[in-house]
Amino acid sequence: MRWVGVVVAGAFLGAGCSVVAGDPRPQVFRAESSSAIYEAIVSREVDPEPLAVGEVFGKDTLSFGAVQMKRGQSFVSGNCAEAVWGNPPLQGCTQVLRAVYSADGVSGQFAIFNLADSGAADRLVQAFRKDAFLKLAPGQPAIAGGSAQGRALGHYAVVSWVAAVGDEKPDLTDPLLAVDSVSQFLQTRLLKAG
């Protein structure tokens, strides 16, 4: 049921991409607060196991529709501030995992922040609306604009972001949904905690 809302929202995402000077941010951003579905992982107290790269980025290729996004480099860090610009609320963040994805004319990034609780995850996602956003990942081509969504899923904040590379004008709906599918690994955490 949850994916229906994502698909409907995705239908409104355009290909808009404008490379701008300064800190990159998406042209279209959708934010979602945590819901009761993620109550079993509402805090690190009930879900203490750190995230592992293999757990989060287990697939080399993500598909949605006709689009296949191939995973490039992935990164894990205990310094959450190095992944963002601006001054987002990162108190209690113990790790951030990011990976770069690409397809013809599109570059994307998925990031997950391991925060203390769902309130902290909600605050971080809301800060990404205007006060802060992801930095480009090492090795990612220079992009800005495009489409992104941030969601608080229990004590995790996830961000999926895709944009056109150069002068390309692809439809970004399917690439965004492909990159966002990384977050499905949290279903396993829910089952273990529940």
Side-chain angles (χ1 to χ4, degrees):
M1 194 67 162
R2 188 166 191 79
W3 281 100
V4 172
V6 172
V7 173
V8 171
F12 296 102
L13 300 175
C17 176
S18 56
V19 177
V20 295
D23 297 316
R25 72 173 303 106
Q27 191 172 24
V28 176
F29 181 70
R30 179 176 176 263
E32 184 179 320
S33 296
S34 193
S35 70
I37 294 170
Y38 296 95
E39 189 65 30
I41 55 172
V42 72
S43 72
R44 228 181 0 250
E45 286 182 10
V46 296
D47 178 38
E49 187 74 24
L51 295 168
V53 171
E55 171 189 17
V56 179
F57 304 119
K59 294 181 181 178
D60 292 334
T61 303
L62 306 172
S63 300
F64 194 91
V67 172
Q68 290 196 340
M69 299 288 289
K70 294 187 180 182
R71 183 171 44 80
Q73 289 185 286
S74 57
F75 312 89
V76 61
S77 176
N79 181 357
C80 298
E82 73 184 11
V84 297
W85 59 261
N87 191 23
L90 292 169
Q91 299 83 4
C93 187
T94 57
Q95 60 181 163
V96 57
L97 284 74
R98 301 192 290 164
V100 175
Y101 292 89
S102 63
D104 289 340
V106 178
S107 178
Q109 183 181 160
F110 180 89
I112 182 167
F113 296 83
N114 188 342
L115 297 149
D117 56 37
S118 62
D122 285 341
R123 287 188 293 278
L124 181 56
V125 167
Q126 293 308 316
F128 287 147
R129 285 182 179 271
K130 61 180 179 175
D131 298 327
F133 203 68
L134 297 178
K135 290 180 181 176
L136 294 175
Q140 187 174 15
I143 59 169
S147 298
Q149 67 178 11
R151 296 183 294 144
L153 306 174
H155 69 99
Y156 301 103
V158 301
V159 181
S160 304
W161 178 28
V162 296
V165 176
D167 294 330
E168 298 289 327
K169 302 275 187 220
D171 181 340
L172 297 175
T173 304
D174 287 355
L176 181 61
L177 293 171
V179 171
D180 192 63
S181 72
V182 173
S183 63
Q184 291 176 350
F185 86 91
L186 284 173
Q187 302 306 315
T188 303
R189 290 236 165 186
L190 280 170
L191 292 173
K192 284 182 185 175

